[in-house]
Amino acid sequence: TTEIYTLSLHDALPICSTSASAATAGAAELAPTSLSTVLGAVTEISKAAQQKAFPGVAAPVNVAVSKRDGDFQNNTAMALFGMLKASGNMPAAIKAPKDVAETLAAAMQECDSEGIFAKVEPVAGFVNIWISKSWQAARVQNIVKYGVLPPPTEKKKAIVDFSSPNVAKEMHVGHLRSTIIGDTICRMLEFSGHEVERVNHVGDWGTQFGMLISHLKAVFPDYATKPPPIADLQQFYKDAKKIFDEDEDFKKRAHEEVVRLQSGDGSSRYAWGQICDVSRREFEKVYGRLEVKLTEVGESFYNEYIPPVLEHLQQTGVTSDSDGALVIFPPGTVHEQPLIVRKSDGGFGYDSTDMAAVWYRLFEKQAKWIVYVTDAGQASHFELIFAAAKYAGWVEPATRIDHVPFGLVCGPDGKKYKTRSGDVVRLVDLLDEAVSRMYAVTVEHNTERVERTKAEAEAHGHVAEDVALSDEEIREASRVLGYGAVKYADLKSNRNSNYIFDYDRMLDPRGNTAVYMLYTGARLCSILRKAGAEVGSAPAQALLAQTTLTLEHPAELAVAGALIRFQEALERATSTLLPNHLCEYVYDLCGKVSSFVRECKVLGSPEQNSRVLLVTASILTIKQTLALLGIGFLDKI
Ligand code: ARG
């Protein structure tokens, strides 16, 4: 129920309105900030054509990517025919749906002021559409001119709640997935123009802190003057738990400590803060490596909001009493468990905090889109929270609240991911391993390249060019490759399925991996270097400004066809919150570009300039798509 696929076409560029083109014709050219999807553009023309040919008939325009002949299909003729018949206003010339398709096709030609269509052909009850080569070329040319643009979107204030590990507990592979998927969702929304807040809903509150603080005070009595030297907070947690379970006195002290903490006692608060700091430093290691930005707004932040929010809920009449506990049974949910917003002992828990948090985000933050990224195990919790918020009347119809669930991380054996010794995996080690593997590979490639260049130079009797990467360049490349590989492996399949963590697969330079995309990108950059037209350089700018792209070879057309679908891929990934659509897109694009450079000579061919332009647009698009996936880019590997 959370994955609503909406195609926003309302902002697509006006096409059939002559005023729009007249307005831009004389004025100084303004760089566009967004670009309709090709499907959106075709839909707009079809809409205008329909209004022109059949005014007053409100059949929703149905345009789709073609499965057989042509690039797109307008499938509206049948519905239009039905409506004309029902209205009793059937034009004399229309006898069958095929006549509607013919009239529609003619009107579409007329409305196509930009020359998008190469051919529009009515067949029985629908219209087949072919996109013109020159229009495709112009779109690609614009990538080089204006950069890669997002599709038009209705801007929203969005809050993305992701990563969200728990203090003093292990930050496990599930949190790694949430971090990677959540960061990508933020990047997609930010690039689309939304105002995004990246929120780390850290689990920094709860009764376990009584035990942790008591243990801290016992083990590090001078905690108030020196930061406690806790090397392993999980071990610290385990030790505290052991004493808690065995020692009645300690248990009593721990309970008192919880009460003190909740009443705002200075020393308890201070000790709590120190424990959170130790955790925070651990979390930062992962975020730093992955270059993920997050603002911590932990559970504790919402404490003061809980009582008034509960009072408000009670006044609204959505709560009920269940054996002394305050609960909500939101209508329309099928769970046996209600939402427990106050426990029978008066305490607040996970449910209470999330109700306060959703209230805060909707009313204080005025968010119009809230996204929660956690494992699928929490699906029913969020279903209840969202349903309760709606039940309380908090959610406007235009507001979107999504739970973005994901599957488990499994080892190559298909079972839950563990180290060989059976311990939980430390995330930092896992990331470092990917980088060190890529370091070894990159060093090897570098040596090979140096030797190959030397041998070639000797054979031709000239001095070998210096092609060696510095150690710092190799290290940087390994980081981009290694972290990129981990992220891509996580993002490439539908997040709802379990994901297999397998270094050999994710680092395969010939597979559907970040390594493959990055190698492809670097190969393209090397072509441009040889052509003396590196992206962004002055000679490249001069050259591209006077180059017209010509698309003749099927491999060139295939690349152009992929390049102009970037907006569509991003729109699909954003509306469904499924980043795998972007992975599919970049993989397809890289495959097409690879075939293109294999089949079409760039350097020294009569089409060199046009092909340099196509390569440039490809680099820009690959780089942008990888950036949305949180993956860097390398000009040289
Ligand atoms: N700390 C929780 C966990 O580790 C995730 C929190 C997700 N966000 C939320 N608002 N409940 O499972």
Side-chain angles (χ1 to χ4, degrees):
T1 53
T2 49
E3 283 168 27
I4 314 156
Y5 181 13
T6 48
L7 203 60
S8 63
L9 299 171
H10 38 85
D11 302 316
L13 300 177
I15 285 153
C16 204
S17 86
T18 41
S19 61
S21 32
T24 44
E29 226 179 307
L30 269 185
T33 52
S34 67
L35 204 56
S36 67
T37 62
V38 184
L39 179 62
V42 175
T43 306
E44 281 303 304
I45 300 179
S46 304
K47 223 189 256 176
Q50 190 171 314
Q51 251 151 40
K52 195 167 178 182
F54 303 102
V57 191
V61 176
N62 174 353
V63 175
V65 175
S66 189
K67 290 191 191 69
R68 281 188 297 156
D69 294 334
D71 299 310
F72 295 94
Q73 271 180 5
N74 181 340
N75 300 321
T76 328
M78 281 296 208
L80 267 171
F81 183 74
M83 285 193 170
L84 285 167
K85 210 158 139 187
S87 74
N89 271 334
M90 185 69 88
I94 306 278
K95 303 271 182 295
K98 112 175 186 313
D99 303 324
V100 176
E102 267 166 30
T103 312
L104 203 53
M108 284 168 67
Q109 288 281 27
E110 272 172 52
C111 279
D112 176 22
S113 56
E114 260 190 57
I116 298 189
F117 303 145
K119 194 165 82 174
V120 175
E121 195 175 73
V123 188
F126 45 93
V127 181
N128 287 333
I129 301 157
W130 282 261
I131 302 297
S132 96
K133 272 193 227 173
S134 57
W135 188 78
Q136 293 190 45
R139 286 277 289 221
V140 173
Q141 196 118 21
N142 278 348
I143 298 175
V144 171
K145 201 159 163 192
Y146 301 117
V148 181
L149 300 175
T153 10
E154 199 190 313
K155 316 260 174 281
K156 285 189 171 180
K157 163 85 182 254
I159 290 183
V160 184
D161 172 326
F162 71 106
S163 192
S164 309
N166 302 312
V167 169
K169 293 195 195 145
E170 38 128 0
M171 184 177 181
H172 51 71
V173 274
H175 293 120
L176 181 65
R177 283 209 88 179
S178 174
T179 308
I180 292 172
I181 297 169
D183 178 52
T184 294
I185 288 177
C186 291
R187 286 168 186 265
M188 297 191 316
L189 298 184
E190 284 154 357
F191 182 70
S192 302
H194 297 291
E195 186 196 330
V196 181
E197 281 193 34
R198 302 159 154 260
V199 171
N200 200 0
H201 190 87
V202 172
D204 63 356
W205 203 253
T207 46
Q208 77 274 21
F209 279 97
M211 164 186 107
L212 291 167
I213 295 170
S214 303
H215 191 52
L216 181 82
K217 288 184 174 175
V219 190
F220 302 111
D222 51 358
Y223 72 95
T225 49
K226 277 192 223 142
I230 305 176
D232 185 344
L233 195 52
Q234 272 138 58
Q235 192 54 48
F236 183 85
Y237 186 98
K238 278 187 203 155
D239 296 345
K241 179 87 173 73
K242 190 158 182 280
I243 310 174
F244 181 86
D245 289 339
E246 285 165 5
D247 182 341
E248 277 307 315
D249 245 20
F250 182 87
K251 203 175 211 159
K252 204 166 140 254
R253 261 182 290 139
H255 282 311
E256 287 161 7
E257 204 59 76
V258 177
V259 177
R260 265 206 292 278
L261 179 65
Q262 285 174 346
S263 67
D265 172 88
S267 86
S268 302
R269 266 316 262 223
Y270 188 78
W272 166 79
Q274 288 196 315
I275 294 169
C276 291
D277 279 345
V278 178
S279 267
R280 202 168 285 130
R281 280 197 291 275
E282 279 306 305
F283 303 156
E284 282 304 329
K285 285 186 194 159
V286 173
Y287 302 143
R289 279 171 174 70
L290 296 178
E291 290 183 60
V292 169
K293 281 202 226 54
L294 266 159
T295 305
E296 186 180 323
V297 189
E299 291 182 359
S300 60
F301 175 83
Y302 302 99
N303 283 343
E304 56 174 311
Y305 291 92
I306 297 175
V309 165
L310 295 193
E311 203 181 303
H312 168 67
L313 286 169
Q314 275 175 297
Q315 278 165 6
T316 323
V318 300
T319 55
S320 44
D321 178 276
S322 167
D323 296 329
L326 190 68
V327 303
I328 306 178
F329 284 97
T333 50
V334 289
H335 305 286
E336 283 143 35
Q337 281 286 335
L339 207 56
I340 303 171
V341 289
R342 193 178 60 223
K343 296 181 205 158
S344 49
D345 66 1
F348 303 134
Y350 197 52
D351 291 357
S352 324
T353 307
D354 264 325
M355 276 316 280
V358 79
W359 181 90
Y360 178 81
R361 291 165 184 179
L362 289 170
F363 294 101
E364 289 286 314
K365 287 285 172 175
Q366 290 287 315
K368 299 290 178 245
W369 193 355
I370 313 179
V371 179
Y372 297 79
V373 188
T374 78
D375 61 281
Q378 299 198 35
S380 51
H381 166 73
F382 286 110
E383 201 186 318
L384 282 169
I385 294 283
F386 302 167
K390 286 184 188 137
Y391 188 28
W394 293 354
V395 189
E396 290 166 14
T399 299
R400 237 185 110 161
I401 309 190
D402 291 291
H403 177 222
V404 169
F406 52 80
L408 293 174
V409 183
C410 302
D413 58 358
K415 298 204 186 91
K416 212 173 157 176
Y417 195 63
K418 289 210 181 88
T419 59
R420 228 169 282 163
S421 58
D423 288 342
V424 286
V425 204
R426 284 191 60 223
L427 291 188
V428 174
D429 297 342
L430 190 143
L431 294 170
D432 291 351
E433 166 87 17
V435 173
S436 66
R437 288 197 191 206
M438 282 325 294
Y439 181 76
V441 174
T442 313
V443 167
E444 200 180 304
H445 281 181
N446 191 44
T447 316
E448 274 168 22
R449 184 174 40 235
V450 170
E451 275 162 16
R452 196 173 50 237
T453 316
K454 228 198 286 172
E456 277 168 19
E458 262 163 38
H460 292 92
H462 51 69
V463 188
E465 209 190 321
D466 182 14
V467 290
L469 294 180
S470 69
D471 189 54
E472 190 32 53
E473 280 175 314
I474 296 179
R475 283 187 193 283
E476 172 59 13
S478 326
R479 280 192 291 268
V480 172
L481 289 160
Y483 299 139
V486 174
K487 290 184 181 183
Y488 190 87
D490 193 319
L491 297 167
K492 84 170 182 197
S493 34
N494 183 307
R495 58 174 160 72
N496 291 298
S497 41
N498 290 350
Y499 135 63
I500 302 206
F501 194 96
D502 180 346
Y503 286 116
D504 293 335
R505 263 209 251 173
M506 71 175 72
L507 301 177
D508 180 358
R510 272 174 290 275
N512 180 2
T513 62
V515 179
Y516 164 68
M517 313 302 159
L518 289 166
Y519 280 164
T520 307
R523 200 170 317 124
L524 299 177
C525 288
S526 124
I527 295 176
L528 294 192
R529 256 194 311 277
K530 289 183 187 140
E534 271 175 275
V535 177
S537 68
Q541 263 154 1
L543 175 94
L544 295 173
Q546 45 176 295
T547 300
T548 313
L549 178 65
T550 48
L551 299 170
E552 284 309 329
H553 194 283
E556 290 176 315
L557 274 162
V559 172
L563 287 174
I564 64 172
R565 302 192 93 141
F566 169 81
Q567 285 77 14
E568 193 182 307
L570 177 57
E571 190 168 74
R572 188 171 308 141
T574 311
S575 57
T576 58
L577 298 175
L578 288 169
N580 57 294
H581 289 303
L582 280 180
C583 298
E584 281 149 29
Y585 174 75
V586 73
Y587 183 53
D588 176 69
L589 174 60
C590 284
K592 288 183 169 142
V593 187
S594 302
S595 313
F596 159 63
V597 294
R598 212 170 32 240
E599 289 171 38
C600 300
K601 206 167 144 205
V602 177
L603 300 169
S605 75
E607 299 88 356
Q608 172 162 332
N609 288 354
S610 167
R611 289 181 175 169
V612 161
L613 194 148
L614 194 59
V615 169
T616 305
S618 304
I619 292 174
L620 293 174
T621 307
I622 294 170
K623 196 170 175 175
Q624 182 60 63
T625 313
L626 291 178
L628 292 173
L629 300 171
I631 302 172
F633 190 81
L634 297 162
D635 298 334
K636 282 185 203 169
I637 304 179

